């Protein structure tokens, strides 16, 4: 026993030396970067932008980036330029099909008329779209259009799809370059004021267009604290925005969406925000909703393979945030 | 403090202190170099981005592609170093920005008002500017372009870079590298301490023990194993001790022989003579006793003294 003690004392120095050398050459992971959040320029993402404006998301921990196009938001996430994005469930299916490593952390809101198909006068029903030119922005509206066409017994092949930015649709419709457009808020409110006619809208969908907050797996592993703060800020701001009265930062939202206060209220009313309590329930139903959407998207050739079903939702972040 | 009295500890401590000094110097040099490189990188990136964006925006605005211009601006803001940016015409109206809420606002109402005012001459000279603030934390880049084919339709891209995080990261990287070096140095010093302990200190202690044993016992001292300097000292010492022991034995033997010779001489010669003289004195005492009592007494005293001398001489022999 005594011999062992002496031996241990004797070998203590080289043992410590080996430990120090191992520690010194351990990989350095102190590259702390900002959590890059791209909410997209639609009303569903406004809560995060207002949180940024009011410094509920400190600039030392979060970089909130404004990217105007939905397809660009998806691309930014796919290239790793964004850690967190707000996308629709149909966008998400495309991202999963592309094999992106992601987790859905929260369901934010559902479209209750915020997406619609508008036409010029003379086209009153979906059936009338057969053989017509329909404008569509890449990354948004495909799911709505498929459903609308199916409800009238049509397919995408029965129409001529014209890729176009939503900002160009008003002009294109006025100039009769297209017969119908698929738009989302705030463009829907703007175009409705121009006298366009809604022939199909998102409240008619069986599976609603759901906006979800998606984070990369890397961000989930490295920035848990920031993500929990983000969910809290999102929920708090959403409560204020959809409270039905003026809220801090409202002027900035109006300027961003380029609508006045009245139109902003109209835009927001067409989105149904999901309360903290509803979030968990919607997230649990999300796989089922996604499966239904996938069936339609596969049938119409929007996606080519069904993405895997395992592990793309993480409830633990919202549970921790709303405990 | 007793610990630092040993040569082993002093060597280790000296190496460690010198190493720490070198690491500190290297950290200072490294930070300086990394910061300079970071400044150069950001200045280059800002100039490239500003130039590219100005050219692109000139093309897009002439074709009234404002949304595409917005997207370009958004891509610029994906850079973690970009704080904010905008595009503004000579009337001061923002036409595009990293924050959409500034659209169609006067530039002086935005957080970039001060920077715009400071570099407003860019719209006159039409020469781009890339400039760090005095604290070297913010980098302003302003590139002019023409919105239409008219020379008066002047506008400019203004981007503000915030280098704070990047520079903090550079500093952290340099310190982490120094920490890594310090850990390796400490590990090396511990190994040096261990090696000195095994190769020197323990052997010196063993050598000291051999010396102590040599002083207290008459046997030939042991020898340290090995071929190093301490073993050489030990071997030389053992050799010297062996020679010393041999010389000592020779001296002892010589002294013993001399003592025996003296003893033999005393016994064989002096003692015999004294005994004979004593006996003759006794005879003389008998002869004098009959004639003269006083002379007889004196002869008796001589005989007694000779008897005592004989006893003393025998004792020495």
């Amino acid at each position: 026993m005594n011999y062992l003690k002496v031996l241990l004392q004797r070998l203590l120095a080289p043992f410590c030396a080996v430990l120090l050398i191992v520690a010194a050459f351990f990989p350095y992971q102190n590259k702390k970067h900002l959590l890059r959040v791209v909410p997209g320029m639609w009303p569903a993402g406004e809560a995060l932008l207002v949180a940024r404006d009011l410094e509920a998301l400190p600039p030392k921990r979060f970089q909130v980036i404004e990217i105007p196009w939905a397809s660009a938001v998806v691309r930014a996430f796919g290239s790793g330029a964004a850690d967190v994005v707000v996308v629709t469930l149909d966008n998400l299916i495309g991202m999963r099909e592309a094999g992106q490593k992601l987790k859905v952390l929260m369901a934010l809101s559902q479209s209750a008329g915020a997406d619609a198909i508008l036409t010029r006068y003379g086209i009153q029903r979906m059936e009338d779209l057969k053989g017509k030119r329909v404008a569509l922005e890449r990354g948004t509206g495909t799911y709505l259009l498929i459903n609308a066409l199916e409800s009238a017994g049509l397919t995408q092949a029965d129409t001529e799809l014209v890729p176009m930015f939503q900002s160009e649709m008003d002009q294109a419709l006025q100039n009769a370059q297209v017969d119908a457009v698929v738009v989302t808020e705030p463009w829907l409110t703007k175009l409705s004021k121009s006298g366009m006619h809604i022939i199909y809208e998102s409240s008619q969908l069986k599976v609603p267009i759901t906006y979800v907050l998606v984070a990369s797996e890397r961000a989930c592993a490295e920035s848990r604290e920031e993500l929990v703060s983000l969910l809290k800020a999102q929920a708090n701001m959403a409560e204020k925005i959809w409270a039905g009265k003026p809220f801090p930062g409202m002027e900035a939202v109006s300027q961003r969406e380029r609508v006045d206060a009245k139109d902003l209220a109209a835009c927001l009313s067409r989105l149904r925000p999901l309360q903290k309590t509803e979030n968990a329930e919607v997230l649990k139903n999300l796989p089922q909703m996604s499966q239904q959407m996938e069936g339609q998207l596969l049938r119409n050739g929007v996606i080519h393979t069904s993405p895997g079903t395992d592990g793309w939702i993480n409830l633990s972040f919202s549970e921790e945030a709303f405990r | 403090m007793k610990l630092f009295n040993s040569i082993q500890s002093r060597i280790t401590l000296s190496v460690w202190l010198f190493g720490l000094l070198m690491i500190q110097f290297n950290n200072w040099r490294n930070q300086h170099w990394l910061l300079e490189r970071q400044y150069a990188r950001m200045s280059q990136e800002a100039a490239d981005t500003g130039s590219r964006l100005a050219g692109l925006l000139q093309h897009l605005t002439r074709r009234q592609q404002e949304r595409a211009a917005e997207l370009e601006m958004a891509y610029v803001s994906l850079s973690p170093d970009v704080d904010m940016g905008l595009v503004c015409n000579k009337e001061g109206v923002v036409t595009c920005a990293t924050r959409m809420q500034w659209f169609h606002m006067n530039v002086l109402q935005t957080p970039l008002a001060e920077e715009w005012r400071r570099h407003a001459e860019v719209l006159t000279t039409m020469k781009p500017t890339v400039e760090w603030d005095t604290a070297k934390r913010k980098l302003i880049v302003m590139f002019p372009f023409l919105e239409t084919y008219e020379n008066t339709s002047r506008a400019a891209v203004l981007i503000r870079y915030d280098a704070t995080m990047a520079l903090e990261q550079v500093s952290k990287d340099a310190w982490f590298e120094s920490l890594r070096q310090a850990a390796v140095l400490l590990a090396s010093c511990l190994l040096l301490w261990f090696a000195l302990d095994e190769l020197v200190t323990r052997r010196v202690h063993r050598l000291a023990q051999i010396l102590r044993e040599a002083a207290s016992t008459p046997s030939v001292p042991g020898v340290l194993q090995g071929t190093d300097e301490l073993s050489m000292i030990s071997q030389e010492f053992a050799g010297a001790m062996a020679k010393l022991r041999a010389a000592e034995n020779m001296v002892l033997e010589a002294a013993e022989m001399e003592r025996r010779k003296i003893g033999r001489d005393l016994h064989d010669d002096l003692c015999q003579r004294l005994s004979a003289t004593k006996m003759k004195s006794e005879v003389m005492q008998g002869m004098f006793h009959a004639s003269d009592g006083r002379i007889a007494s004196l002869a008796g005293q001589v005989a007694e003294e000779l008897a005592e001398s004989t006893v003393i001489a025998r004792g020495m022999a």
Side-chain angles (χ1 to χ4, degrees), chain A residues 10 17 24 28 31 41 52-53 63 65-66 69 75 167 255-256 258, chain B residues 67 70-71 74-75 77 79 98-101 103 165 173 180 187 194 198:
Chain A
R10 199 164 164 179
Y28 172 45
K31 287 264 185 261
M41 299 309 294
R52 187 270 318 267
D53 291 343
Q63 186 185 7
I65 304 155
E66 297 178 11
W69 299 343
R75 267 205 307 277
S167 57
Q255 282 171 327
R256 258 195 303 269
R258 298 174 194 176
Chain B
R67 297 292 284 181
E70 278 175 3
L71 186 67
Y75 282 143
S77 65
S79 163
T98 53
R99 297 201 179 180
M100 305 278 178
Q101 68 252 40
F103 182 67
M165 275 196 66
D173 287 349
R180 192 198 292 270
F194 175 71
E198 287 295 315

mmCIF file of all heavy atoms in Angstrom, chain A residues 10 17 24 28 31 41 52-53 63 65-66 69 75 167 255-256 258, chain B residues 67 70-71 74-75 77 79 98-101 103 165 173 180 187 194 198:
data_model
loop_
_atom_site.group_PDB
_atom_site.id
_atom_site.type_symbol
_atom_site.label_atom_id
_atom_site.label_comp_id
_atom_site.label_asym_id
_atom_site.label_seq_id
_atom_site.Cartn_x
_atom_site.Cartn_y
_atom_site.Cartn_z
ATOM 1 N N ARG A 10 5.185 9.595 -7.286
ATOM 2 C CA ARG A 10 6.288 9.703 -8.245
ATOM 3 C C ARG A 10 5.770 9.942 -9.663
ATOM 4 O O ARG A 10 6.362 10.683 -10.438
ATOM 5 C CB ARG A 10 7.082 8.406 -8.185
ATOM 6 C CG ARG A 10 8.464 8.499 -8.754
ATOM 7 C CD ARG A 10 9.265 7.336 -8.299
ATOM 8 N NE ARG A 10 10.459 7.183 -9.089
ATOM 9 C CZ ARG A 10 11.365 6.243 -8.883
ATOM 10 N NH1 ARG A 10 11.193 5.388 -7.899
ATOM 11 N NH2 ARG A 10 12.421 6.160 -9.632
ATOM 12 N N ALA A 17 1.258 16.076 -16.701
ATOM 13 C CA ALA A 17 1.813 16.592 -17.959
ATOM 14 C C ALA A 17 1.043 16.043 -19.160
ATOM 15 O O ALA A 17 0.691 16.780 -20.078
ATOM 16 C CB ALA A 17 3.285 16.226 -18.059
ATOM 17 N N ALA A 24 -4.383 20.709 -24.096
ATOM 18 C CA ALA A 24 -3.882 21.781 -24.969
ATOM 19 C C ALA A 24 -4.189 21.515 -26.436
ATOM 20 O O ALA A 24 -4.438 22.440 -27.195
ATOM 21 C CB ALA A 24 -2.380 21.935 -24.779
ATOM 22 N N TYR A 28 -10.379 23.498 -30.531
ATOM 23 C CA TYR A 28 -10.822 24.795 -30.025
ATOM 24 C C TYR A 28 -12.196 25.123 -30.616
ATOM 25 O O TYR A 28 -12.344 25.216 -31.818
ATOM 26 C CB TYR A 28 -9.777 25.828 -30.438
ATOM 27 C CG TYR A 28 -10.136 27.264 -30.171
ATOM 28 C CD1 TYR A 28 -10.686 27.641 -28.962
ATOM 29 C CD2 TYR A 28 -9.890 28.239 -31.127
ATOM 30 C CE1 TYR A 28 -10.985 28.972 -28.714
ATOM 31 C CE2 TYR A 28 -10.167 29.561 -30.879
ATOM 32 C CZ TYR A 28 -10.715 29.916 -29.679
ATOM 33 O OH TYR A 28 -11.009 31.224 -29.439
ATOM 34 N N LYS A 31 -15.476 29.591 -31.233
ATOM 35 C CA LYS A 31 -15.931 30.493 -32.297
ATOM 36 C C LYS A 31 -17.393 30.843 -32.050
ATOM 37 O O LYS A 31 -18.303 30.222 -32.583
ATOM 38 C CB LYS A 31 -15.792 29.813 -33.657
ATOM 39 C CG LYS A 31 -14.359 29.687 -34.126
ATOM 40 C CD LYS A 31 -14.000 30.818 -35.053
ATOM 41 C CE LYS A 31 -12.620 30.667 -35.626
ATOM 42 N NZ LYS A 31 -11.613 31.423 -34.973
ATOM 43 N N MET A 41 -39.834 38.431 -45.368
ATOM 44 C CA MET A 41 -40.594 39.685 -45.345
ATOM 45 C C MET A 41 -42.075 39.407 -45.545
ATOM 46 O O MET A 41 -42.664 39.751 -46.561
ATOM 47 C CB MET A 41 -40.060 40.632 -46.428
ATOM 48 C CG MET A 41 -38.602 41.006 -46.223
ATOM 49 S SD MET A 41 -38.222 41.596 -44.565
ATOM 50 C CE MET A 41 -39.134 43.101 -44.530
ATOM 51 N N ARG A 52 -36.481 42.510 -32.819
ATOM 52 C CA ARG A 52 -35.161 43.071 -33.142
ATOM 53 C C ARG A 52 -35.158 44.598 -32.964
ATOM 54 O O ARG A 52 -34.270 45.159 -32.318
ATOM 55 C CB ARG A 52 -34.805 42.691 -34.587
ATOM 56 C CG ARG A 52 -33.420 43.024 -35.101
ATOM 57 C CD ARG A 52 -33.277 44.389 -35.768
ATOM 58 N NE ARG A 52 -34.358 44.782 -36.648
ATOM 59 C CZ ARG A 52 -34.373 44.572 -37.967
ATOM 60 N NH1 ARG A 52 -33.389 43.951 -38.559
ATOM 61 N NH2 ARG A 52 -35.397 45.022 -38.688
ATOM 62 N N ASP A 53 -36.223 45.256 -33.518
ATOM 63 C CA ASP A 53 -36.294 46.727 -33.431
ATOM 64 C C ASP A 53 -36.355 47.201 -31.985
ATOM 65 O O ASP A 53 -35.809 48.248 -31.643
ATOM 66 C CB ASP A 53 -37.531 47.236 -34.181
ATOM 67 C CG ASP A 53 -37.398 47.038 -35.688
ATOM 68 O OD1 ASP A 53 -36.256 46.825 -36.146
ATOM 69 O OD2 ASP A 53 -38.428 47.091 -36.391
ATOM 70 N N GLN A 63 -28.404 38.187 -35.096
ATOM 71 C CA GLN A 63 -28.319 39.008 -36.302
ATOM 72 C C GLN A 63 -29.589 38.718 -37.106
ATOM 73 O O GLN A 63 -29.734 37.625 -37.649
ATOM 74 C CB GLN A 63 -27.069 38.633 -37.102
ATOM 75 C CG GLN A 63 -26.846 39.540 -38.293
ATOM 76 C CD GLN A 63 -25.676 39.081 -39.150
ATOM 77 O OE1 GLN A 63 -25.115 38.019 -38.937
ATOM 78 N NE2 GLN A 63 -25.337 39.880 -40.137
ATOM 79 N N ILE A 65 -31.769 39.294 -40.204
ATOM 80 C CA ILE A 65 -31.519 39.748 -41.576
ATOM 81 C C ILE A 65 -32.830 39.773 -42.353
ATOM 82 O O ILE A 65 -33.608 38.818 -42.288
ATOM 83 C CB ILE A 65 -30.507 38.802 -42.269
ATOM 84 C CG1 ILE A 65 -29.223 38.723 -41.436
ATOM 85 C CG2 ILE A 65 -30.196 39.259 -43.682
ATOM 86 C CD1 ILE A 65 -28.429 37.466 -41.644
ATOM 87 N N GLU A 66 -33.017 40.864 -43.078
ATOM 88 C CA GLU A 66 -34.251 41.001 -43.867
ATOM 89 C C GLU A 66 -33.982 40.573 -45.299
ATOM 90 O O GLU A 66 -33.202 41.208 -46.007
ATOM 91 C CB GLU A 66 -34.727 42.456 -43.823
ATOM 92 C CG GLU A 66 -35.097 42.896 -42.417
ATOM 93 C CD GLU A 66 -35.518 44.356 -42.358
ATOM 94 O OE1 GLU A 66 -35.724 44.962 -43.423
ATOM 95 O OE2 GLU A 66 -35.635 44.881 -41.242
ATOM 96 N N TRP A 69 -37.384 37.842 -50.479
ATOM 97 C CA TRP A 69 -38.041 36.775 -51.231
ATOM 98 C C TRP A 69 -38.007 35.453 -50.467
ATOM 99 O O TRP A 69 -36.976 35.073 -49.905
ATOM 100 C CB TRP A 69 -37.351 36.547 -52.583
ATOM 101 C CG TRP A 69 -37.375 37.750 -53.460
ATOM 102 C CD1 TRP A 69 -38.186 38.845 -53.335
ATOM 103 C CD2 TRP A 69 -36.534 37.986 -54.591
ATOM 104 N NE1 TRP A 69 -37.908 39.754 -54.303
ATOM 105 C CE2 TRP A 69 -36.903 39.260 -55.106
ATOM 106 C CE3 TRP A 69 -35.549 37.281 -55.228
ATOM 107 C CZ2 TRP A 69 -36.305 39.811 -56.210
ATOM 108 C CZ3 TRP A 69 -34.944 37.838 -56.337
ATOM 109 C CH2 TRP A 69 -35.326 39.081 -56.833
ATOM 110 N N ARG A 75 -33.016 29.512 -49.681
ATOM 111 C CA ARG A 75 -31.642 29.326 -50.182
ATOM 112 C C ARG A 75 -30.613 29.706 -49.117
ATOM 113 O O ARG A 75 -29.607 29.029 -48.943
ATOM 114 C CB ARG A 75 -31.419 30.166 -51.439
ATOM 115 C CG ARG A 75 -31.704 29.413 -52.725
ATOM 116 C CD ARG A 75 -30.937 30.009 -53.905
ATOM 117 N NE ARG A 75 -31.153 31.444 -54.037
ATOM 118 C CZ ARG A 75 -32.196 31.998 -54.646
ATOM 119 N NH1 ARG A 75 -33.128 31.219 -55.177
ATOM 120 N NH2 ARG A 75 -32.320 33.296 -54.731
ATOM 121 N N SER A 167 -44.154 41.702 -56.376
ATOM 122 C CA SER A 167 -44.142 43.155 -56.596
ATOM 123 C C SER A 167 -44.495 43.517 -58.041
ATOM 124 O O SER A 167 -44.918 44.637 -58.326
ATOM 125 C CB SER A 167 -42.766 43.716 -56.243
ATOM 126 O OG SER A 167 -41.783 43.060 -57.015
ATOM 127 N N GLN A 255 -44.101 50.480 -42.424
ATOM 128 C CA GLN A 255 -43.135 50.925 -43.438
ATOM 129 C C GLN A 255 -42.501 49.731 -44.145
ATOM 130 O O GLN A 255 -42.282 49.766 -45.354
ATOM 131 C CB GLN A 255 -42.056 51.784 -42.782
ATOM 132 C CG GLN A 255 -42.554 53.186 -42.503
ATOM 133 C CD GLN A 255 -41.588 53.981 -41.660
ATOM 134 O OE1 GLN A 255 -40.909 53.442 -40.806
ATOM 135 N NE2 GLN A 255 -41.556 55.269 -41.893
ATOM 136 N N ARG A 256 -42.214 48.699 -43.372
ATOM 137 C CA ARG A 256 -41.605 47.493 -43.974
ATOM 138 C C ARG A 256 -42.551 46.831 -44.960
ATOM 139 O O ARG A 256 -42.170 46.462 -46.063
ATOM 140 C CB ARG A 256 -41.257 46.485 -42.868
ATOM 141 C CG ARG A 256 -39.799 46.448 -42.500
ATOM 142 C CD ARG A 256 -39.471 45.228 -41.691
ATOM 143 N NE ARG A 256 -40.250 45.082 -40.481
ATOM 144 C CZ ARG A 256 -39.907 45.551 -39.283
ATOM 145 N NH1 ARG A 256 -38.802 46.225 -39.153
ATOM 146 N NH2 ARG A 256 -40.678 45.347 -38.232
ATOM 147 N N ARG A 258 -45.022 48.225 -46.286
ATOM 148 C CA ARG A 258 -45.447 49.273 -47.217
ATOM 149 C C ARG A 258 -46.965 49.349 -47.332
ATOM 150 O O ARG A 258 -47.538 49.371 -48.441
ATOM 151 C CB ARG A 258 -44.773 49.104 -48.579
ATOM 152 C CG ARG A 258 -43.258 49.237 -48.419
ATOM 153 C CD ARG A 258 -42.488 48.946 -49.647
ATOM 154 N NE ARG A 258 -41.073 48.771 -49.297
ATOM 155 C CZ ARG A 258 -40.125 48.432 -50.141
ATOM 156 N NH1 ARG A 258 -40.409 48.237 -51.397
ATOM 157 N NH2 ARG A 258 -38.884 48.282 -49.743
ATOM 158 N N ARG B 67 -36.727 45.611 -56.500
ATOM 159 C CA ARG B 67 -36.808 44.425 -55.628
ATOM 160 C C ARG B 67 -35.523 43.590 -55.719
ATOM 161 O O ARG B 67 -35.066 43.048 -54.724
ATOM 162 C CB ARG B 67 -38.016 43.548 -56.000
ATOM 163 C CG ARG B 67 -39.346 44.219 -55.811
ATOM 164 C CD ARG B 67 -39.688 44.486 -54.378
ATOM 165 N NE ARG B 67 -40.127 43.306 -53.639
ATOM 166 C CZ ARG B 67 -40.488 43.319 -52.368
ATOM 167 N NH1 ARG B 67 -40.463 44.442 -51.680
ATOM 168 N NH2 ARG B 67 -40.889 42.225 -51.768
ATOM 169 N N GLU B 70 -33.056 45.292 -53.626
ATOM 170 C CA GLU B 70 -33.289 44.966 -52.208
ATOM 171 C C GLU B 70 -32.673 43.628 -51.850
ATOM 172 O O GLU B 70 -32.093 43.451 -50.778
ATOM 173 C CB GLU B 70 -34.803 44.908 -51.926
ATOM 174 C CG GLU B 70 -35.420 46.271 -51.693
ATOM 175 C CD GLU B 70 -36.928 46.194 -51.527
ATOM 176 O OE1 GLU B 70 -37.476 45.070 -51.548
ATOM 177 O OE2 GLU B 70 -37.554 47.252 -51.380
ATOM 178 N N LEU B 71 -32.833 42.674 -52.767
ATOM 179 C CA LEU B 71 -32.279 41.350 -52.509
ATOM 180 C C LEU B 71 -30.758 41.404 -52.422
ATOM 181 O O LEU B 71 -30.145 40.783 -51.550
ATOM 182 C CB LEU B 71 -32.712 40.363 -53.601
ATOM 183 C CG LEU B 71 -32.296 38.920 -53.346
ATOM 184 C CD1 LEU B 71 -33.021 38.345 -52.146
ATOM 185 C CD2 LEU B 71 -32.534 38.046 -54.558
ATOM 186 N N ALA B 74 -29.859 42.658 -49.186
ATOM 187 C CA ALA B 74 -30.083 41.630 -48.161
ATOM 188 C C ALA B 74 -28.907 40.657 -48.124
ATOM 189 O O ALA B 74 -28.455 40.258 -47.051
ATOM 190 C CB ALA B 74 -31.382 40.878 -48.456
ATOM 191 N N TYR B 75 -28.413 40.301 -49.308
ATOM 192 C CA TYR B 75 -27.274 39.373 -49.359
ATOM 193 C C TYR B 75 -26.033 40.004 -48.718
ATOM 194 O O TYR B 75 -25.249 39.323 -48.068
ATOM 195 C CB TYR B 75 -26.976 38.941 -50.790
ATOM 196 C CG TYR B 75 -27.941 37.873 -51.306
ATOM 197 C CD1 TYR B 75 -28.372 37.872 -52.618
ATOM 198 C CD2 TYR B 75 -28.417 36.874 -50.458
ATOM 199 C CE1 TYR B 75 -29.256 36.897 -53.091
ATOM 200 C CE2 TYR B 75 -29.291 35.895 -50.918
ATOM 201 C CZ TYR B 75 -29.708 35.915 -52.229
ATOM 202 O OH TYR B 75 -30.571 34.959 -52.681
ATOM 203 N N SER B 77 -26.102 42.053 -46.258
ATOM 204 C CA SER B 77 -26.272 42.047 -44.795
ATOM 205 C C SER B 77 -26.099 40.653 -44.194
ATOM 206 O O SER B 77 -26.083 40.505 -42.974
ATOM 207 C CB SER B 77 -27.633 42.619 -44.405
ATOM 208 O OG SER B 77 -28.652 41.788 -44.889
ATOM 209 N N SER B 79 -23.416 39.102 -44.300
ATOM 210 C CA SER B 79 -22.065 39.094 -43.723
ATOM 211 C C SER B 79 -22.159 39.448 -42.243
ATOM 212 O O SER B 79 -22.796 40.439 -41.880
ATOM 213 C CB SER B 79 -21.183 40.109 -44.450
ATOM 214 O OG SER B 79 -20.055 40.378 -43.663
ATOM 215 N N THR B 98 -30.773 47.803 -45.700
ATOM 216 C CA THR B 98 -30.774 46.494 -45.027
ATOM 217 C C THR B 98 -31.991 46.375 -44.101
ATOM 218 O O THR B 98 -32.339 45.296 -43.674
ATOM 219 C CB THR B 98 -29.494 46.307 -44.199
ATOM 220 O OG1 THR B 98 -29.339 47.423 -43.330
ATOM 221 C CG2 THR B 98 -28.270 46.172 -45.080
ATOM 222 N N ARG B 99 -32.582 47.501 -43.768
ATOM 223 C CA ARG B 99 -33.838 47.497 -43.014
ATOM 224 C C ARG B 99 -34.921 48.158 -43.866
ATOM 225 O O ARG B 99 -34.829 49.351 -44.190
ATOM 226 C CB ARG B 99 -33.673 48.237 -41.693
ATOM 227 C CG ARG B 99 -32.659 47.519 -40.814
ATOM 228 C CD ARG B 99 -32.809 47.851 -39.392
ATOM 229 N NE ARG B 99 -31.818 47.098 -38.630
ATOM 230 C CZ ARG B 99 -31.684 47.176 -37.330
ATOM 231 N NH1 ARG B 99 -32.486 47.960 -36.637
ATOM 232 N NH2 ARG B 99 -30.782 46.474 -36.701
ATOM 233 N N MET B 100 -35.911 47.335 -44.182
ATOM 234 C CA MET B 100 -36.927 47.786 -45.146
ATOM 235 C C MET B 100 -37.714 48.997 -44.642
ATOM 236 O O MET B 100 -38.290 49.721 -45.439
ATOM 237 C CB MET B 100 -37.901 46.641 -45.433
ATOM 238 C CG MET B 100 -37.238 45.377 -45.898
ATOM 239 S SD MET B 100 -36.860 45.398 -47.627
ATOM 240 C CE MET B 100 -36.040 43.837 -47.836
ATOM 241 N N GLN B 101 -37.765 49.188 -43.324
ATOM 242 C CA GLN B 101 -38.581 50.295 -42.806
ATOM 243 C C GLN B 101 -37.999 51.676 -43.149
ATOM 244 O O GLN B 101 -38.654 52.677 -42.948
ATOM 245 C CB GLN B 101 -38.823 50.181 -41.302
ATOM 246 C CG GLN B 101 -37.635 50.367 -40.407
ATOM 247 C CD GLN B 101 -37.187 49.051 -39.788
ATOM 248 O OE1 GLN B 101 -37.187 48.034 -40.468
ATOM 249 N NE2 GLN B 101 -36.823 49.064 -38.534
ATOM 250 N N PHE B 103 -37.215 52.515 -46.158
ATOM 251 C CA PHE B 103 -37.553 52.761 -47.565
ATOM 252 C C PHE B 103 -38.307 54.089 -47.704
ATOM 253 O O PHE B 103 -39.302 54.328 -47.014
ATOM 254 C CB PHE B 103 -38.399 51.598 -48.092
ATOM 255 C CG PHE B 103 -38.764 51.729 -49.537
ATOM 256 C CD1 PHE B 103 -37.807 51.651 -50.534
ATOM 257 C CD2 PHE B 103 -40.094 51.935 -49.911
ATOM 258 C CE1 PHE B 103 -38.156 51.768 -51.867
ATOM 259 C CE2 PHE B 103 -40.447 52.056 -51.249
ATOM 260 C CZ PHE B 103 -39.467 51.974 -52.225
ATOM 261 N N MET B 165 -16.994 42.477 -32.925
ATOM 262 C CA MET B 165 -17.010 41.024 -32.648
ATOM 263 C C MET B 165 -15.824 40.313 -33.291
ATOM 264 O O MET B 165 -15.207 39.441 -32.683
ATOM 265 C CB MET B 165 -18.318 40.409 -33.156
ATOM 266 C CG MET B 165 -19.420 40.546 -32.143
ATOM 267 S SD MET B 165 -20.785 39.470 -32.503
ATOM 268 C CE MET B 165 -20.093 37.868 -32.281
ATOM 269 N N ASP B 173 -8.794 34.404 -29.905
ATOM 270 C CA ASP B 173 -8.002 33.366 -30.583
ATOM 271 C C ASP B 173 -6.540 33.432 -30.144
ATOM 272 O O ASP B 173 -5.920 32.411 -29.866
ATOM 273 C CB ASP B 173 -8.084 33.533 -32.114
ATOM 274 C CG ASP B 173 -9.439 33.108 -32.659
ATOM 275 O OD1 ASP B 173 -10.210 32.499 -31.896
ATOM 276 O OD2 ASP B 173 -9.727 33.410 -33.827
ATOM 277 N N ARG B 180 -2.863 27.662 -24.800
ATOM 278 C CA ARG B 180 -2.455 26.336 -25.277
ATOM 279 C C ARG B 180 -0.933 26.171 -25.123
ATOM 280 O O ARG B 180 -0.454 25.150 -24.636
ATOM 281 C CB ARG B 180 -2.844 26.221 -26.761
ATOM 282 C CG ARG B 180 -2.758 24.823 -27.336
ATOM 283 C CD ARG B 180 -2.727 24.909 -28.845
ATOM 284 N NE ARG B 180 -3.947 25.358 -29.460
ATOM 285 C CZ ARG B 180 -4.944 24.562 -29.845
ATOM 286 N NH1 ARG B 180 -4.870 23.285 -29.637
ATOM 287 N NH2 ARG B 180 -6.004 25.050 -30.436
ATOM 288 N N ALA B 187 3.327 21.479 -19.020
ATOM 289 C CA ALA B 187 3.491 20.024 -19.154
ATOM 290 C C ALA B 187 4.969 19.684 -19.356
ATOM 291 O O ALA B 187 5.492 18.748 -18.733
ATOM 292 C CB ALA B 187 2.667 19.517 -20.331
ATOM 293 N N PHE B 194 10.231 15.874 -13.529
ATOM 294 C CA PHE B 194 10.198 14.419 -13.318
ATOM 295 C C PHE B 194 11.530 13.793 -13.768
ATOM 296 O O PHE B 194 12.115 12.959 -13.067
ATOM 297 C CB PHE B 194 9.025 13.833 -14.110
ATOM 298 C CG PHE B 194 8.955 12.336 -14.085
ATOM 299 C CD1 PHE B 194 8.587 11.647 -12.934
ATOM 300 C CD2 PHE B 194 9.270 11.592 -15.209
ATOM 301 C CE1 PHE B 194 8.519 10.272 -12.916
ATOM 302 C CE2 PHE B 194 9.210 10.215 -15.193
ATOM 303 C CZ PHE B 194 8.832 9.556 -14.037
ATOM 304 N N GLU B 198 14.268 11.881 -11.523
ATOM 305 C CA GLU B 198 14.669 10.485 -11.762
ATOM 306 C C GLU B 198 16.165 10.369 -12.041
ATOM 307 O O GLU B 198 16.829 9.466 -11.547
ATOM 308 C CB GLU B 198 13.896 9.915 -12.963
ATOM 309 C CG GLU B 198 12.435 9.634 -12.689
ATOM 310 C CD GLU B 198 12.222 8.542 -11.658
ATOM 311 O OE1 GLU B 198 12.897 7.495 -11.743
ATOM 312 O OE2 GLU B 198 11.400 8.738 -10.743
#
